[in-house]
Amino acid sequence: MPQTLDPKTKEILRQYLRETRSLANESARRQRFSALIAELFPGTRAVTDFARGVEKLIRIKTGAGEKRGHADAYYGNAIIEFEKSLKASLGEAEEQLREYISGSWPKKEENAASMLAIASDGIEWRIYRPKLLAGAPSQPLPKNLQLDLLRDFKLAEDTLGDFWLWLTSLLFRPQQVEPTPERFEIDFGSSGFLYREAMVGLKKAWARVSGEPEAKVAFETWQKYLTVTYGKLAESSTPTKDLESGVEISELEDLFLRHTYLSSIARLLIWAALSKGKASRNLREVARDVLSGRYSSRNVWQT
């Protein structure tokens, strides 16, 4: 279902689309996007934070030494590379993104997992999740980075709502958003960033604990319930190496972890509704109680 826009927002986006189509170079397209942010989010930190990251200097290590580059825009956890025409210069944009991402790669792996790389000409947009190639050092060279496409779309008259939804979900998210099905799909759906990161984490964790008694019981119990619901299950296939997580996993185990993900999201949503998102303790501790069942068993609705 298309996202409904108020008349003012719709006209701002229409004007941006009309003007961007006629701009002659990447600098002008980046500047027009900056102006769009100022129009859509006046008086917010998004305006100043985006401006602060324009032409950000990044030091890039290469096999031949170090060089300097200027990212078109560095906002939050995203590096954006603008081109005059993404169709004509996509390969160049991706190579520059690999360089800028490698020069900005965090020292802690868990922080690196949240980075985004975006290539755009203002009309066409491609959003990537950067990841290290197997065996690459923790501080990678550009050649050791892979860009996995998360989503791509083209801005047009009939996709203005999708563009607005993307802007306010991943880049310029307000403190609170309306929990529409479309936003929920972007945040938690199978094509979303969080889903892919969660599944990588679950697969790595399952590889460590799948041989333990408690994990075996959980897996077997899940299979019994699934059999009652759907009938006989296909035999578990021979485990194959998952390219995302680098672990060996079967199709049945993969389905089990997908259901684990859904169950975890459901429990956290119940907690968020009951607690209104407020917690007096560390959120990691709250999540541990919610996912283990201790939260509901103790009837601790105010944490």
Side-chain angles (χ1 to χ4, degrees), residues 190-243:
S190 59
S191 62
F193 177 79
L194 291 177
Y195 170 81
R196 296 182 68 167
E197 290 302 316
M199 288 302 296
V200 168
L202 283 170
K203 288 172 184 177
K204 288 181 178 179
W206 180 248
R208 293 195 300 267
V209 306
S210 59
E212 298 182 4
E214 186 175 353
K216 286 182 177 180
V217 170
F219 187 47
E220 291 170 0
T221 302
W222 168 80
Q223 291 183 69
K224 290 177 181 177
Y225 281 117
L226 210 63
T227 301
V228 170
T229 304
Y230 298 106
K232 184 179 179 180
L233 297 176
E235 293 296 326
S236 178
S237 60
T238 302
T240 57
K241 189 169 185 178
D242 177 71
L243 297 179

Side-chain angles (χ1 to χ4, degrees), residues 165-204:
L165 188 64
W166 175 72
L167 284 176
T168 55
S169 293
L170 290 182
L171 284 183
F172 309 106
R173 192 181 188 110
Q175 188 80 17
Q176 293 182 331
V177 294
E178 183 182 357
T180 63
E182 294 80 11
R183 286 197 184 277
F184 194 88
E185 182 179 0
I186 285 181
D187 282 348
F188 305 111
S190 59
S191 62
F193 177 79
L194 291 177
Y195 170 81
R196 296 182 68 167
E197 290 302 316
M199 288 302 296
V200 168
L202 283 170
K203 288 172 184 177
K204 288 181 178 179

Side-chain angles (χ1 to χ4, degrees), residues 262-281:
L262 292 173
S263 173
S264 299
I265 292 296
R267 292 186 182 203
L268 290 169
L269 284 173
I270 292 171
W271 167 80
L274 293 172
S275 67
K276 299 186 183 344
K278 297 178 181 178
S280 59
R281 295 182 297 137

Side-chain angles (χ1 to χ4, degrees), residues 25 27 87 154 160 235 267 285:
N25 57 61
S27 177
K87 183 178 180 179
K154 184 174 182 178
L160 294 177
E235 293 296 326
R267 292 186 182 203
E285 296 177 3

Side-chain angles (χ1 to χ4, degrees), residues 30 47-57 70-75 80:
R30 185 195 65 213
V47 179
T48 54
D49 287 350
F50 187 85
R52 191 179 297 117
V54 169
E55 288 291 331
K56 180 178 176 62
L57 173 65
H70 290 84
D72 284 342
Y74 195 141
Y75 179 82
I80 308 174

Side-chain angles (χ1 to χ4, degrees), residues 267 287-299:
R267 292 186 182 203
R288 188 180 296 116
D289 280 352
V290 170
L291 297 177
S292 68
R294 289 193 297 270
Y295 182 81
S296 55
S297 65
R298 294 205 311 259
N299 199 29

Side-chain angles (χ1 to χ4, degrees), residues 11-49:
E11 183 52 38
I12 289 174
L13 293 176
R14 276 177 170 167
Q15 184 176 358
Y16 166 79
L17 175 60
R18 289 194 300 267
E19 294 180 2
T20 302
R21 282 172 171 161
S22 63
L23 296 177
N25 57 61
E26 61 190 61
S27 177
R29 290 175 181 241
R30 185 195 65 213
Q31 291 174 12
R32 185 61 186 89
F33 183 67
S34 297
L36 174 67
I37 297 168
E39 292 177 271
L40 291 175
F41 313 106
T44 68
R45 287 188 56 183
V47 179
T48 54
D49 287 350

